[in-house]
Amino acid sequence: FSRPDVAMVPQRAALGMGRGAYFPRAFSRPDVAMVPQRAALGMGRGALGGSVHSAAMYRPRRIVLIRHGQSAGNIDEEAYTTTPDWRIPLTAHGRAEAQGAGRKLRALLEERSGARAYFYHSPYLRCQDTLDAIISQLNPECIIGTREEPRISEQQFGNLQSTAVTQKSKAERNHFGRFYYRFPSGESALDVYNRVSSFIATIYRDVEQMRGVGVLTPETHIVIVSHGLAARAFIMRWFQLTVGDFELLSNQPNGSLLVMELHTDAMGNQWYELTHDSWKLLNADGCIDLKCIRVGGKPGEMRHLVRPQNVLPSVCGLAPPSPPTELDG
């Protein structure tokens, strides 16, 4: 694969340097296996999981997934009939939610002395504006840089969308299955899963590059500002969940944070766990028995979700449920 020379591009406008990043860009590597628990020795486990054999082998302290604030399309689907999805703006309430997300992130960073964050964000306007609102709540010294990442864009539902066609498609999706259903002229969740998998490989490489130039520390945070479905696909890929598990997950609320914490055992093995509060955010429909979660990032552990016995399959998208109220974005 090829990588450009270490040419830097500007930081975001909120830091006085425009949109973009000032860390070397890199391209995805199709030859790198994208499993978060690869061996730490030799050519085994990658940058974000494995055993600690030297003080220089830092992993990011946390990986944080933030859904954009409320958008005009979240409250009025007619917006999609006149405005391209990627240009749908935040509402005033959505801007407030984004600022709130910034304050929550600031609190997370302040828990760790010397914590700094590197941001990836979807190119969609609502995610760009969410990122700007988040950055407005942070100390500029805490920001390593930012990068626009098209692979974490919203699921494609088609171009300018007819409300009637969209409603019909969403009803079909809930009958067919949310993971495999493909919107007319759009994508399936499987398509989003595939591009998010490729993006995870890029995170590995970027972490290695940050380590190589001395940017990475034990308190580095990776922050991803994206969409509801993209975040669920990320969680599914990272923790190697099944398609059935995906069907149990709900979108996290607008402006909320899913937090993956780094854990280390006595042998020095490291892995990530999604916090209990984060699982609650993914359980809006009550489809996950939070007392019986069998999902963890530790190598060798069995991973699956459990549906509560008193919750009907139809509630969890396992049979035709009631009509949905919004698109995933």
Side-chain angles (χ1 to χ4, degrees):
F1 79 105
S2 61
R3 58 163 285 190
D5 294 334
V6 289
M8 305 299 181
V9 292
Q11 231 183 335
R12 291 193 66 83
L15 303 180
M17 299 179 67
R19 296 191 186 275
Y22 65 86
F23 191 76
R25 287 185 179 271
F27 302 124
S28 49
R29 287 180 57 180
D31 59 318
V32 174
M34 294 170 286
V35 179
Q37 292 80 29
R38 300 183 64 198
L41 298 175
M43 294 300 292
R45 190 171 295 142
L48 301 186
S51 299
V52 180
H53 294 279
S54 110
M57 290 298 289
Y58 302 134
R59 276 86 182 177
R61 174 63 57 184
R62 294 182 176 109
I63 300 174
V64 182
L65 297 102
I66 304 179
R67 186 184 178 192
H68 60 79
Q70 182 192 73
S71 73
N74 288 142
I75 62 173
D76 181 9
E77 290 190 3
E78 289 294 328
Y80 297 108
T81 66
T82 58
T83 304
D85 192 5
W86 65 281
R87 292 178 177 171
I88 296 286
L90 294 178
T91 63
H93 180 66
R95 287 190 291 274
E97 288 179 323
Q99 291 170 348
R103 291 189 290 272
K104 292 176 183 176
L105 179 60
R106 183 180 65 199
L108 281 179
L109 295 175
E110 290 175 348
E111 290 177 4
R112 315 291 308 190
S113 177
R116 302 175 71 203
Y118 188 79
F119 292 86
Y120 298 93
H121 69 91
S122 161
Y124 277 48
L125 178 61
R126 52 188 179 269
C127 289
Q128 295 185 23
D129 289 346
T130 295
L131 177 58
D132 287 338
I134 290 170
I135 285 179
S136 73
Q137 305 299 308
L138 303 180
N139 181 342
E141 295 298 321
C142 294
I143 302 170
I144 298 172
T146 71
R147 179 181 301 172
E148 180 177 288
E149 177 49 74
R151 286 171 294 179
I152 55 175
S153 294
E154 173 61 294
Q155 179 181 11
Q156 303 301 293
F157 299 106
N159 297 322
L160 295 178
Q161 301 157 22
S162 161
T163 302
V165 171
T166 299
Q167 290 289 349
K168 180 176 181 291
S169 296
K170 287 190 295 185
E172 290 177 347
R173 176 185 63 176
N174 286 321
H175 180 78
F176 187 86
R178 290 181 292 179
F179 187 73
Y180 288 114
Y181 180 80
R182 183 182 302 279
F183 281 81
S185 303
E187 288 183 304
S188 66
L190 172 61
D191 295 323
V192 180
Y193 174 89
N194 287 336
R195 49 183 168 86
V196 166
S197 295
S198 170
F199 166 61
I200 289 175
T202 295
I203 297 178
Y204 289 138
R205 184 181 54 254
D206 287 350
V207 166
E208 292 288 1
Q209 289 183 340
M210 282 190 275
R211 181 182 294 119
V213 299
V215 172
L216 191 73
T217 75
E219 305 305 334
T220 299
H221 287 53
I222 300 295
V223 183
I224 301 166
V225 181
S226 187
H227 307 265
L229 179 58
R232 283 186 285 143
F234 187 99
I235 294 297
M236 179 186 179
R237 183 64 184 89
W238 189 280
F239 293 108
Q240 302 170 27
L241 300 181
T242 67
V243 172
D245 290 335
F246 175 86
E247 298 288 348
L248 301 179
L249 300 176
S250 306
N251 271 346
Q252 66 189 102
N254 293 108
S256 64
L257 284 64
L258 301 179
V259 181
M260 295 166 54
E261 297 269 8
L262 181 66
H263 290 257
T264 306
D265 66 15
M267 299 296 293
N269 295 305
Q270 293 188 320
W271 67 94
Y272 289 87
E273 299 280 0
L274 195 63
T275 66
H276 190 73
D277 286 343
S278 297
W279 280 116
K280 286 182 179 179
L281 294 175
L282 293 168
N283 196 35
D285 294 331
C287 294
I288 305 171
D289 187 340
L290 296 177
K291 297 179 181 179
C292 299
I293 291 176
R294 302 285 195 274
V295 175
K298 191 172 183 177
E301 288 188 344
M302 181 170 57
R303 304 168 195 184
H304 67 89
L305 302 178
V306 178
R307 178 172 54 84
Q309 293 183 354
N310 62 344
V311 175
L312 296 175
S314 61
V315 176
C316 304
L318 305 179
S322 56
T325 57
E326 65 164 337
L327 291 174
D328 286 317

